[in-house]
């Protein structure tokens, strides 16, 4: 009888379906063309899959707000946000900061115009057309507008500004003379002008903002702490001396990752509240 019970138990165990592999849903705000960014992030996806043991899927929507909404609706587990979208997601969804690039602790926006333009300072923007990126961008809207107001830029310039939807689109709008000036992420500016995507001879930086905290990787509130920790550890372990990992860091415009803390974004919260955006 005991043998029969033991045999039955073995048969039942053999018939049990294997445990499903965990799926980790990643998303990123679209700082550049989403389809191109998705392809460039494939090495990161493969790396995180190896490090976490999960099946990793990535989606990059066409606007910043979509990533925040996905976090609010539990449709994304790990996300790459800008500082402003982080404070939005923190307030609305209770996301937890994980890691950020070392450079994100002292990030800047670049104000650009054409080489022959008479614009050489913020004061020269009066009467000129201006471009921001996405309305929810930290370095493409929130902080540039904050510093413009702080430095007394004519409010009509801000009121009449266009929103291109992305940093690359802002730089192209300036380079092609569609607007007189614009503001964008310093890392995107550097990448586009050094890789030939935008001719550096067609744009000129005329002002750089003071430093502020920006991009951060976060975990959805309900993500298992061990999973969130494995993602953090994976980013912190990225080593520029390893050619494969350097490719990932280069795609992320990073030299290394460091732990991120919520309190670092208090100044951004204040700026967003003062602008009536939070």
């Amino acid at each position: 009888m005991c043998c029969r019970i033991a045999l039955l138990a073995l048969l039942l165990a053999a018939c049990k379906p294997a445990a499903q592999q965990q799926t980790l849903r990643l998303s990123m705000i679209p700082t550049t063309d989403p389809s191109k960014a998705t392809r460039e992030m494939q090495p990161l996806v493969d790396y995180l899959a190896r490090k976490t043991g999960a099946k990793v899927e990535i989606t990059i929507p066409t606007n910043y707000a979509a990533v925040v909404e996905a976090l609010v609706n539990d449709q994304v587990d790990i996300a790459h946000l800008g500082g402003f979208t982080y404070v939005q997601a923190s307030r609305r969804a209770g996301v937890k900061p994980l890691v950020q690039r070392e450079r994100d602790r002292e990030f800047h926006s670049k104000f650009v115009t054409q080489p022959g333009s008479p614009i050489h300072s913020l004061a020269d923007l009066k009467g000129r057309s201006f471009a921001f990126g996405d309305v929810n961008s930290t370095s493409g809207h929130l902080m540039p507008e904050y510093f413009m107001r702080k430095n007394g830029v004519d409010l009509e310039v801000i009121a009449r500004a266009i929103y291109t939807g992305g940093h690359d689109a802002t730089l192209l709008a300036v380079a092609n003379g569609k607007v007189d000036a614009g503001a964008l992420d310093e890392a995107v500016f550097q990448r586009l002008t050094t890789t030939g995507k935008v001719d550096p001879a067609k744009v000129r930086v005329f002002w750089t903002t003071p430093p502020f905290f920006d991009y951060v990787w976060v975990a959805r509130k309900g993500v298992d702490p061990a999973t969130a920790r494995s993602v953090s550890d994976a980013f912190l372990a990225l080593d520029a001396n390893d050619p494969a990992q350097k490719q990932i860091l280069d795609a992320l415009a990073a030299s290394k990752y460091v732990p991120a803390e919520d309190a670092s974004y208090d100044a951004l919260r204040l700026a967003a509240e003062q602008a009536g955006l939070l």
Side-chain angles (χ1 to χ4, degrees):
M1 184 67 178
C2 289
C3 290
R4 287 181 182 176
I5 293 174
L7 180 60
L8 181 61
L10 285 171
L11 289 171
L12 288 173
C15 292
K16 271 189 178 180
Q20 286 191 335
Q21 185 182 24
Q22 178 190 7
T23 297
L24 200 58
R25 302 165 299 174
L26 261 65
S27 190
M28 300 177 72
I29 56 171
T31 57
T32 56
D33 176 68
S35 58
K36 182 174 181 291
T38 301
R39 293 193 299 271
E40 292 176 342
M41 289 304 121
Q42 191 56 49
L44 172 66
V45 168
D46 296 339
Y47 171 77
L48 290 177
R50 290 194 302 273
K51 288 291 187 177
T52 63
K55 177 184 178 183
V56 179
E57 299 174 348
I58 188 167
T59 56
I60 303 179
T62 56
N63 63 74
Y64 288 38
V67 183
V68 176
E69 292 303 321
L71 287 164
V72 170
N73 293 304
D74 293 343
Q75 296 170 336
V76 164
D77 302 308
I78 304 294
H80 184 242
L81 302 175
F84 181 32
T85 39
Y86 166 67
V87 298
Q88 290 175 316
S90 175
R91 178 170 292 191
R92 295 184 59 200
V95 298
K96 304 300 179 184
L98 300 177
V99 295
Q100 60 191 159
R101 300 173 302 186
E102 190 173 44
R103 70 185 302 172
D104 289 319
R105 292 177 165 182
E106 289 195 343
F107 206 74
H108 308 82
S109 296
K110 296 291 185 183
F111 280 64
V112 296
T113 188
Q114 296 88 21
S117 165
I119 300 172
H120 295 279
S121 69
L122 293 181
D124 295 334
L125 289 173
K126 186 172 183 178
R128 305 290 178 178
S129 57
F130 192 84
F132 292 116
D134 189 290
V135 67
N136 291 307
S137 172
T138 309
S139 52
H141 174 226
L142 176 65
M143 297 313 290
E145 180 176 334
Y146 171 78
F147 288 117
M148 288 166 79
R149 291 179 181 275
K150 190 174 181 180
N151 285 276
V153 169
D154 181 16
L155 295 181
E156 280 298 304
V157 176
I158 298 171
R160 294 179 179 177
I162 68 166
Y163 292 85
T164 66
H167 300 289
D168 51 351
T170 297
L171 190 59
L172 284 168
V174 173
N176 295 329
K178 293 184 178 179
V179 290
D180 297 319
L184 71 153
D185 171 321
E186 66 177 350
V188 176
F189 173 81
Q190 181 183 26
R191 183 167 72 249
L192 293 177
T193 54
T194 56
T195 59
K197 303 297 183 183
V198 175
D199 185 351
K202 290 186 175 181
V203 290
R204 169 172 56 84
V205 175
F206 68 91
W207 196 70
T208 301
T209 66
F212 53 87
F213 272 76
D214 204 347
Y215 300 95
V216 59
W217 284 93
V218 305
R220 178 175 55 82
K221 185 178 180 180
V223 169
D224 176 62
T227 300
R229 194 160 50 248
S230 69
V231 172
S232 293
D233 289 346
F235 275 103
L236 295 173
L238 283 168
D239 184 358
N241 293 316
D242 180 313
Q245 293 182 23
K246 187 178 188 305
Q247 180 187 5
I248 296 170
L249 288 167
D250 287 347
L252 293 164
S255 58
K256 64 178 291 189
Y257 274 85
V258 295
E261 297 180 1
D262 176 73
S264 301
Y265 293 87
D266 286 346
L268 279 183
R269 287 187 176 93
L270 181 60
E273 288 167 357
Q274 289 177 347
L277 297 172
L278 190 64

